Amino acid sequence: MKMRQLRALCGFILLSLAVLANAMPTAGPDQKCKSGPVDLVFLIDSSRSVRPHEFETMRKFMIDILNTLDIGLEATRVGVVQYSSQVRSEFSLKTHSNLDSMVKGINQIIPLAQGTMTGLAIRFVMNVAFSKEEGDRPKVPNVAVIVTDGRPQDRVAEVAAEAREKGIEIYAVGVARADMTSLRAMASPPFEDHVFQVESFELIHQFGLQFQDKLCGVDLCLESDHGCEQICESSPGSYSCQCLPGYTLNEDGKTCAAVNLCTEGKHGCEQICVSSPGSFSCNCNKGYKLNDDKKTCSMIDYCSFGNHSCDHKCVSVLNGYHCICNEGYRLLDDGRTCQAIDLCTEGKHDCEQICVSTTGTFTCDCNEVYTLNEDEKTCAPIDLCAEGKHDCEQICVSAPGVFSCDCNKGFKLNKDRKTCTNMDMCNTVEHGCDHQCVSTPGSYYCVCPEGQLLQEDGKSCGTCKSANIDLVLLIDGSKSVRPQNFQLVKKFVNQVVDSLDVSAHGTRVGLVQYSSRVRTEFPLNMYHTADEIKAAVMKVDYMEKGTMTGLALKHMLENSFSEAEGARPFSRNIPRVGLVFTDGRSQDDITEYAKKAKEAGITMYAVGVGKAVEDELREIASEPVEKHFYYTTDFTAISTIAENLKLNVCPAEESQGEIEVKDPCACESLVEFQQATMSSLEKFTQKHIL
């Protein structure tokens, strides 16, 4: 009786016409069906596509349903959650104890009017709305009714499946533009009882008229000639036949047949299954015996019988046994007796120099002036240098049992063959300095003329062409970009990288992809060459979701330009540059973090394609805006933008435009600082050498 009551309770959510609907008794306008408690949560779509008068129709739809239910903390509890790009609980299962206060709560709902994150909403209902803290009761059916008018902007299939596995029965009601595939992915099976779609919001109230009949349906197992041989199981407006354990339902859907558990593989026997009506027993193959669990088998241990006469060890095998010897012994032809082996004499050892034989085994030793290594097999010359048993001033060169002295580069060995004298490296080696060589004890360094900087090779001189920046690129991975265009975006990124002087101490590049969420593809400190970065860019997977540009700017400011991810300290005066690429309007607010990024000293570039919004690009870009934002209607034209960006990001001599990122004055100051430092160091070195 309890099972039938539970199933009848869940039936009020069914939104399809039943064949027996007209024959069922219908409660009067002041009569409520009392078929048991249920915890019900409405999940309503309040995205911007739902017009105000349509939302009012949805509000009336919920109130009409509540008027047919027995509302109360011990009867039917109801909660309401609305969602768009975010999720908001309007009231929980424990908030209202009567119909009047519940209706008042529904009438006070204010629509969110944003995106359509249905998957996020289902996860909220599963983890929060149906929780003990929110009023969910144990052993009471959980029912969720989702009403939506559009396609979800996130994934729903996985989270809906997880919710159903937790026992939540889901009904999906689609209106107007709703996607049937998404509705079926959300709803509980069978779909014909849980999925409904109507042409407009004005029609959804018609389904509320069916709820009372479904709730007060007839139990056909009790009131009809069902014909089930063993068990009849009721469902709203119908029934099904079931069988007792050990039996299976025949094709006629009514009679039952005994199950052959051995044939169906449902026995658990390790080797042999012996079938009996509705049951089975296990047995074992020859040479095996049945274990105490009556299912698994163990090989018979013939060695345990004590009649094997093996000299050392007896090993049982199927239907018999054989003898083996301990390590260092061999089995003789009689198959039982063991004889010790001289491994050294037979050459069965891996000693590098000396083998010392013992009974059935061996040890290794070494010749004079050698010592045995930790592997106890190989030998190493006694290293007097490593043991500190020498008096060399700089370098000790070891030979077995002896040593000799040598000097570091730039020094020569004195006549005592132990001490060293400094040499003028600039005059004794091919230093390769482009401008000037300065000797130091045992080494040298190169300096450049005023107005030039020492390049990464440490020898050649150049202009401010190789000045440094920290560059983070934010690329749009929303579904509107499309896979083929996303490949063009990655080529665009690599064109920008080609125009930079990338190195660990030069320009650093980081990449972030954003859609409905933000993902760091690689931070500033991961790659140190242009080829490494370009290879990593081409491996980036397309996210294909929404467009949360504001969230991406927040991530860039708080994470990408942190020293933990490779940004160099502000004290080093290395410019920080952010480049945002997008093809559409942001689904969240960009104002706050676009402003904070520029206030933090980040030079911001905005690149838009297709449906990108010019006002948003201008809000992101640094001043002067005209030199920091770019737009094209076609993805195929973004290579031209990459060439134009080269003028502003890479201050090379060949650039025709103004330098936007690197300050020539700052570069001049860096050259002056380097020259002053090198000059002081040169004077200090010459003074001490003389």
Side-chain angles (χ1 to χ4, degrees):
M1 182 64 183
K2 185 175 182 181
M3 177 63 71
R4 290 196 301 272
Q5 188 178 44
L6 185 62
R7 290 183 179 276
L9 182 60
C10 294
F12 77 94
I13 304 298
L14 294 175
L15 302 179
S16 62
L17 291 172
V19 175
L20 300 177
N22 293 330
M24 295 179 182
T26 304
D30 298 325
Q31 184 179 357
K32 307 284 187 180
C33 290
K34 300 181 181 296
S35 55
V38 67
D39 289 340
L40 168 65
V41 173
F42 286 100
L43 189 57
I44 58 173
D45 181 354
S46 63
S47 59
R48 64 173 64 94
S49 61
V50 179
R51 299 176 180 85
H53 73 277
E54 293 175 335
F55 193 84
E56 292 305 315
T57 303
M58 196 177 340
R59 197 193 309 268
K60 184 177 183 301
F61 166 69
M62 289 188 289
I63 294 173
D64 288 345
I65 293 176
L66 296 181
N67 282 324
T68 68
L69 304 179
D70 184 17
I71 302 297
L73 295 180
E74 302 303 322
T76 298
R77 294 186 181 184
V78 179
V80 175
V81 174
Q82 70 159 314
Y83 73 95
S84 58
S85 296
Q86 57 182 306
V87 183
R88 186 166 70 197
S89 175
E90 296 301 335
F91 56 81
S92 68
L93 293 168
K94 66 180 181 180
T95 303
H96 298 294
S97 61
N98 59 72
L99 178 61
D100 291 341
S101 62
M102 198 173 292
V103 170
K104 183 177 179 181
I106 291 175
N107 285 326
Q108 292 175 348
I109 296 175
I110 299 175
L112 295 171
Q114 295 174 351
T116 312
M117 304 295 286
T118 313
L120 182 67
I122 295 174
R123 185 169 298 281
F124 178 88
V125 169
M126 175 178 63
N127 294 335
V128 179
F130 283 119
S131 65
K132 181 179 178 182
E133 294 75 15
E134 294 293 297
D136 183 57
R137 295 168 288 181
K139 299 181 181 180
V140 172
N142 289 342
V143 178
V145 178
I146 303 173
V147 182
T148 180
D149 80 324
R151 183 190 298 272
Q153 293 178 334
D154 57 354
R155 296 183 179 275
V156 298
E158 294 86 350
V159 67
E162 186 178 347
R164 295 193 299 267
E165 288 177 1
K166 288 190 175 182
I168 301 174
E169 188 171 9
I170 302 176
Y171 294 83
V173 181
V175 183
R177 299 166 292 275
D179 175 50
M180 177 56 75
T181 302
S182 299
L183 295 176
R184 292 172 67 89
M186 292 185 284
S188 299
F191 297 134
E192 59 269 18
D193 290 340
H194 294 81
V195 177
F196 303 92
Q197 191 166 27
V198 295
E199 295 180 356
S200 66
F201 279 90
E202 285 74 12
L203 298 177
I204 65 172
H205 73 279
Q206 296 178 4
F207 294 106
L209 302 176
Q210 302 176 36
F211 291 163
Q212 197 169 27
D213 284 345
K214 296 298 179 183
L215 190 62
C216 303
V218 176
D219 187 338
L220 296 180
C221 283
L222 292 178
E223 302 187 22
S224 69
D225 185 8
H226 52 74
C228 296
E229 182 179 0
Q230 292 185 356
I231 299 173
C232 177
E233 192 170 281
S234 290
S235 60
S238 184
Y239 69 90
S240 62
C241 296
Q242 305 293 332
C243 295
L244 296 171
Y247 290 84
T248 183
L249 194 65
N250 292 325
E251 291 184 0
D252 61 8
K254 295 187 177 183
T255 60
C256 301
V259 176
N260 187 328
L261 299 178
C262 290
T263 302
E264 297 183 3
K266 299 178 180 179
H267 49 78
C269 296
E270 183 178 6
Q271 294 185 357
I272 299 173
C273 176
V274 181
S275 181
S276 59
S279 185
F280 67 92
S281 61
C282 300
N283 206 344
C284 298
N285 297 325
K286 184 178 179 182
Y288 292 84
K289 63 180 180 179
L290 194 65
N291 294 328
D292 292 339
D293 61 7
K294 301 302 181 183
K295 290 187 177 182
T296 60
C297 299
S298 299
M299 190 173 67
I300 297 173
D301 185 2
Y302 289 95
C303 291
S304 64
F305 297 162
N307 59 353
H308 52 76
S309 69
C310 293
D311 198 1
H312 283 177
K313 298 177 182 177
C314 173
V315 178
S316 290
V317 296
L318 188 62
N319 298 323
Y321 69 91
H322 66 263
C323 299
I324 61 173
C325 297
N326 296 328
E327 186 176 0
Y329 292 80
R330 66 166 57 89
L331 190 67
L332 299 183
D333 293 340
D334 63 6
R336 290 181 172 82
T337 309
C338 298
Q339 183 182 63
I341 300 172
D342 187 342
L343 299 177
C344 291
T345 302
E346 297 183 7
K348 297 179 179 179
H349 65 89
D350 48 3
C351 297
E352 183 178 6
Q353 294 184 359
I354 300 172
C355 177
V356 180
S357 183
T358 57
T359 304
T361 186
F362 67 90
T363 58
C364 298
D365 203 354
C366 296
N367 297 324
E368 189 177 359
V369 304
Y370 286 85
T371 181
L372 194 64
N373 292 327
E374 290 184 0
D375 61 8
E376 298 185 349
K377 296 178 181 180
T378 60
C379 299
I382 296 175
D383 190 347
L384 298 177
C385 294
E387 296 179 6
K389 299 177 180 179
H390 67 90
D391 50 1
C392 298
E393 181 180 4
Q394 290 188 357
I395 300 174
C396 177
V397 181
S398 183
V402 296
F403 68 90
S404 61
C405 298
D406 201 355
C407 297
N408 296 321
K409 186 176 180 181
F411 292 80
K412 64 180 180 180
L413 193 64
N414 295 327
K415 291 182 180 180
D416 61 6
R417 314 305 297 172
K418 296 179 181 179
T419 60
C420 300
T421 299
N422 181 39
M423 299 165 58
D424 185 352
M425 295 294 293
C426 286
N427 292 326
T428 57
V429 300
E430 293 184 4
H431 52 76
C433 293
D434 197 9
H435 177 66
Q436 181 180 354
C437 174
V438 178
S439 293
T440 61
S443 186
Y444 68 91
Y445 62 87
C446 301
V447 296
C448 295
E450 183 176 357
Q452 294 190 17
L453 285 177
L454 193 66
Q455 301 298 297
E456 286 190 20
D457 61 5
K459 297 182 179 181
S460 58
C461 299
T463 65
C464 293
K465 178 179 179 180
S466 60
N468 309 333
I469 63 171
D470 286 343
L471 172 64
V472 175
L473 298 104
L474 303 177
I475 60 174
D476 186 348
S478 62
K479 61 184 177 182
S480 61
V481 173
R482 302 183 182 277
Q484 64 272 26
N485 291 334
F486 191 70
Q487 294 300 316
L488 296 177
V489 174
K490 293 196 284 188
K491 290 181 180 179
F492 163 79
V493 172
N494 282 347
Q495 278 187 271
V496 174
V497 173
D498 278 333
S499 68
L500 304 175
D501 184 13
V502 177
S503 69
H505 302 291
T507 291
R508 297 183 180 182
V509 179
L511 182 64
V512 174
Q513 184 182 175
Y514 69 94
S515 58
S516 297
R517 56 189 180 88
V518 183
R519 181 175 72 204
T520 297
E521 301 296 351
F522 53 82
L524 288 166
N525 57 4
M526 178 169 286
Y527 301 115
H528 305 308
T529 68
D531 289 340
E532 289 177 335
I533 292 172
K534 290 164 65 178
V537 168
M538 297 312 293
K539 293 179 181 178
V540 170
D541 291 329
Y542 177 31
M543 295 175 74
E544 195 176 1
K545 293 183 180 177
T547 311
M548 305 295 282
T549 313
L551 185 64
L553 290 169
K554 180 177 185 291
H555 179 90
M556 177 196 72
L557 180 63
E558 297 179 350
N559 299 283
S560 302
F561 280 114
S562 66
E563 292 185 31
E565 293 201 2
R568 286 163 286 193
F570 283 107
S571 60
R572 294 185 59 182
N573 294 321
I574 294 176
R576 296 183 174 184
V577 180
L579 192 154
V580 179
F581 183 96
T582 181
D583 84 321
R585 182 185 296 275
S586 176
Q587 293 178 337
D588 61 353
D589 181 52
I590 66 167
T591 301
E592 178 183 357
Y593 285 98
K595 180 180 178 183
K596 286 184 176 180
K598 288 176 282 190
E599 289 175 349
I602 301 172
T603 302
M604 294 300 299
Y605 287 81
V607 178
V609 179
K611 296 182 179 180
V613 180
E614 181 175 342
D615 289 345
E616 289 187 354
L617 297 175
R618 288 178 172 273
E619 190 168 359
I620 293 171
S622 294
E623 295 290 343
V625 172
E626 287 70 19
K627 295 182 180 180
H628 291 83
F629 101 93
Y630 300 85
Y631 173 78
T632 180
T633 58
D634 191 343
F635 271 89
T636 58
I638 59 177
S639 61
T640 304
I641 292 180
E643 291 302 319
N644 292 336
L645 276 172
K646 186 176 182 180
L647 302 179
N648 294 323
V649 178
C650 298
E653 290 179 347
E654 64 271 21
S655 298
Q656 300 299 316
E658 295 184 15
I659 305 304
E660 295 296 331
V661 176
K662 300 170 185 173
D663 184 355
C665 295
C667 186
E668 256 181 39
S669 299
L670 181 61
V671 174
E672 292 173 2
F673 173 77
Q674 183 194 36
Q675 294 297 329
T677 303
M678 292 302 183
S679 177
S680 298
L681 182 59
E682 182 179 1
K683 292 178 182 178
F684 175 82
T685 303
Q686 292 173 349
K687 176 181 178 182
H688 283 74
I689 291 176
L690 295 174

